Amino acid sequence: AHIQLRRGMAKSKFEYVRDFEVQDTCLQNCWVVVRVDGRNFHRFSDQHNFTKPNDARALLLMNHCAKSVMEEIKDICLAYGQSDEYSFVFHRKSNWYKRRASKFMTHVVSQFASSYVFYWNEFFPEQPILYPPGFDGRVVLYPSEQNLKDYLSWRQADCHINNLYNTVFWALVQKSGLTPAQAQDRLKGTLSGDKNEILFSEFNINYNNEPVMYRKGSVILWNKVNEISKKVIKLPHEAEEKEVEVCRVRNQPVVLHCDIINDAFWEEHQNVLSAES
Amino acid sequence: AHIQLRRGMAKSKFEYVRDFEVQDTCLQNCWVVVRVDGRNFHRFSDQHNFTKPNDARALLLMNHCAKSVMEEIKDICLAYGQSDEYSFVFHRKSNWYKRRASKFMTHVVSQFASSYVFYWNEFFPEQPILYPPGFDGRVVLYPSEQNLKDYLSWRQADCHINNLYNTVFWALVQKSGLTPAQAQDRLKGTLSGDKNEILFSEFNINYNNEPVMYRKGSVILWNKVNEISKKVIKLPHEAEEKEVEVCRVRNQPVVLHCDIINDAFWEEHQNVLSAES
Amino acid sequence: AHIQLRRGMAKSKFEYVRDFEVQDTCLQNCWVVVRVDGRNFHRFSDQHNFTKPNDARALLLMNHCAKSVMEEIKDICLAYGQSDEYSFVFHRKSNWYKRRASKFMTHVVSQFASSYVFYWNEFFPEQPILYPPGFDGRVVLYPSEQNLKDYLSWRQADCHINNLYNTVFWALVQKSGLTPAQAQDRLKGTLSGDKNEILFSEFNINYNNEPVMYRKGSVILWNKVNEISKKVIKLPHEAEEKEVEVCRVRNQPVVLHCDIINDAFWEEHQNVLSAES
Amino acid sequence: AHIQLRRGMAKSKFEYVRDFEVQDTCLQNCWVVVRVDGRNFHRFSDQHNFTKPNDARALLLMNHCAKSVMEEIKDICLAYGQSDEYSFVFHRKSNWYKRRASKFMTHVVSQFASSYVFYWNEFFPEQPILYPPGFDGRVVLYPSEQNLKDYLSWRQADCHINNLYNTVFWALVQKSGLTPAQAQDRLKGTLSGDKNEILFSEFNINYNNEPVMYRKGSVILWNKVNEISKKVIKLPHEAEEKEVEVCRVRNQPVVLHCDIINDAFWEEHQNVLSAES
């Protein structure tokens, strides 16, 4: 008992260390973007035999994890992913955890990481996961809607450039038998047009016919869906129970693969960035 | 090709958005603590039937995840965990990722979260994991060694206070049949001495004999171990291959359960906070 | 020589301390407001016999200092002042000193402070300045034009509320002979309407006829003026020198006293916040 | 009245803009250094005919301003100045204005700037001040006493290196008639020993005999002094008033010119950085 008392006192004696935490509030009225990136995913994809240049299973797993993050954190109004990265946009009016940057990034990145392992088997039924992967995360603020759209355009343009490059690179390696070094050499200094030309003339590939998820990445938005479920009820004036259909409107994250650089996307989805969404 | 060119240009047009990232460098020469906390672990522990007041499997899983984090991030010189939280201490001289706070916390928290799911089955072979858990993380800086020790003492004092409370609370509920509300009422205003007395007189429990992992939490340190492995070699002047034992010194995270509030711990482990460690 | 050499080496040995400076860049594309406040100006105004409730000389000196700040720092697009405070707005596109917050606030506040003493005599020819006054400063960011306008409206609304209160308070003290405590008591709980009524019925003052600088504060904008100067030139084909008038367009800070809460002000001065200004 | 009411409401409508201010608390238990630097002092010193390489009047004015800052802000435990810069050290335990960085730097820099103009005439009686000078300020944190001492050593080493250079440079210009470009050329690549040699052989100057304020800069510490003042009192049992001497201990900033790089200084002034000072 005596010892415990001392400890109880000790606690308050030590509690001053809480004052060393500093506030990291995100500026009000700015769009908050959390970007998650795979750590050492080059190695991870090698060891788990990812198909090159794109592994559909891996991309679908990424999308599933992103949806899992959004289901947990409703203040995210949009997400965009490609390759081993995913960006999550919190609405400018969000006051989630008082807009603390560390809360934004650690909740998102940990939910993403645990989901990645949790759902792995669903997408890679024949490839066991060998070790727990790491991710990093960061927070960036965008004061205007245009800045936010430009951020997302930047990531989609990055997707395009990398995917075009990788598509040609792996065609040269896998189909023409070049070594990686030779393929790299061949592509040095080429423009987009040159790469398209190589694909078409040497491999009979029209790049624009490649799967749209590879070329454009994935956008996730909230969508209202009617969820119909069956329920057994017993009405007061009836002897028998009976089964009825119950319809409930539910918000659900939905994955799209489309251009988000041009205005058409934003015109079609005006409510995404509006105050009420 | 024409479209690609436009996109290529578009990329650089959008790249200005990178300037919105702000530096979040941790002050030089300070101890960097990353604390990870389970998100909604009250619910998680209920749904996964954690034993009350302590579930050894859950604590051992936490320890295993913390070791996995340390194996990935060698600049962590010490970790301390209790309940659903774990604190990781980066050495004051660490220059890992240029001391960017977001790197520190997101790498730690994501590695912890993915490890939690990855190693779950090892510790809960008969209880499947139902959904991917979330964690949050934060970074706190401590300028002096004393501040750091006081931080760790604060967490261990917290462990003690909560565990003593929970031990009595669940004894009252599980063994005396009180409702949670009655147990809470019974404990209102009691001091440590009173709680020890209840445990002893009513349940014949000497609190100091409770498992030390529950009372003190877990400390993880690096320990040099001799790792002996067998290797088949062929010596130049010998016809046959032969198997030899190879001994290598390896740094390994080791879990301890002991008092870290008193000086004895730090005297015994002087190298932990020293510059060379 | 030997000693000097040691010192030269010493310098680089110490230079590591520069790494302890942290970046404090203001988020891109946000309006940067620096607000300067007089420190202990209650005492300062007493000791320098400021007229109550308003001292025109003091307000004109504040305006003059603000203009002096703007002449030094051209990236300020607007300033608003009242009582012993002044707010300076840097354009959202400003890249002055790489948008470092400490540069913004210390340059503004030091220029303001030195100007205050420098120009004192011009505005208080019969009242010597007794000691050097202090000011404090802060930086606040506003992501949208509406946020910025609301900030300025907040300061002007504050000016109105304080000035109405002070006008009645000092009338009660100076003209009705109430003690400060009695005047304060009399005003407790009164609304704006009540205060107007007291002014009108007891002192025959129509508040709306009070000087507009007291009621609205001061706005400073840049204005293009034609500056005509005389210059003596000698034309090549003429024997005599002759004096000509040279006209140059110059940007000059101009003080206004007007409502900035309603839209009319911003419609009239559309270029103030536009990108080109 | 109606208008006032609307405005009253308007105020609270606008008050949300206060939430855009962010906390800039300095980490607990760190030494807080505020460094003030003259803005464009090259031009300022030219226009006010400062003596080269050192103007004693200007340095003494700087010292006086620094003392004025310390008298206003008692939490400063030490200051060090040289050339057109001054560093102020707040004690690691200081909780002045809740350790807000903006308060530290703006109060110091504004008090310094207003003092500079206020006391100018005292030090430059025959040279009027032509315009209000600007200064900038910054805050840097140092977690350990050694870091702080190294910071101060860095500034004093800087003083030494610049002053040695300037002393030779101006000797070459003023006494040997070199142009500034020629003098610069002559000194390119020279070490401290070379510069001492030039001073001695060409100008018969022993650098170590140069005024210590120029070579070492100025340190300001608090010093307890006995302040004796005369007071007229009337004792109850005496008929006559009489004059008595009253002695009061007062803390006063005192300027020193000495080495602060070696340990001797800190051994002599142990209380400066101790907790009680």
Side-chain angles (χ1 to χ4, degrees), chain A residues 26-73:
Chain A
C26 292
L27 183 61
Q28 302 287 324
N29 203 27
C30 290
W31 300 97
V32 179
V33 173
V34 175
R35 183 162 82 246
V36 172
D37 282 282
R39 191 184 174 212
N40 289 333
F41 255 53
H42 202 284
R43 174 177 165 249
F44 186 86
S45 62
D46 279 351
Q47 302 212 338
H48 291 84
N49 306 306
F50 282 16
T51 309
K52 303 289 182 182
N54 287 289
D55 188 309
R57 302 165 300 175
L59 294 175
L60 292 172
L61 172 56
M62 293 288 287
N63 292 346
H64 199 75
C65 294
K67 282 196 282 183
S68 155
V69 168
M70 286 176 75
E71 296 273 19
E72 284 297 321
I73 309 172

Side-chain angles (χ1 to χ4, degrees), chain D residues 65-126:
Chain D
C65 294
K67 283 197 281 184
S68 154
V69 168
M70 287 176 75
E71 296 273 19
E72 284 297 321
I73 309 173
K74 307 287 187 191
D75 279 26
I76 297 169
C77 58
L78 179 148
Y80 174 75
Q82 53 120 334
S83 184
D84 64 345
E85 70 168 58
Y86 237 101
S87 298
F88 298 89
V89 180
F90 287 79
H91 199 279
R92 69 193 313 163
K93 301 294 185 197
S94 169
N95 205 26
W96 198 66
Y97 280 98
K98 295 184 184 163
R99 297 177 73 80
R100 290 181 55 188
S102 57
K103 295 286 181 185
F104 281 128
M105 65 182 128
T106 60
H107 274 131
V108 167
V109 82
S110 72
Q111 195 69 45
F112 198 93
S114 68
S115 298
Y116 199 90
V117 181
F118 188 83
Y119 295 114
W120 173 270
N121 286 335
E122 236 177 76
F123 295 87
F124 287 91
E126 288 163 30

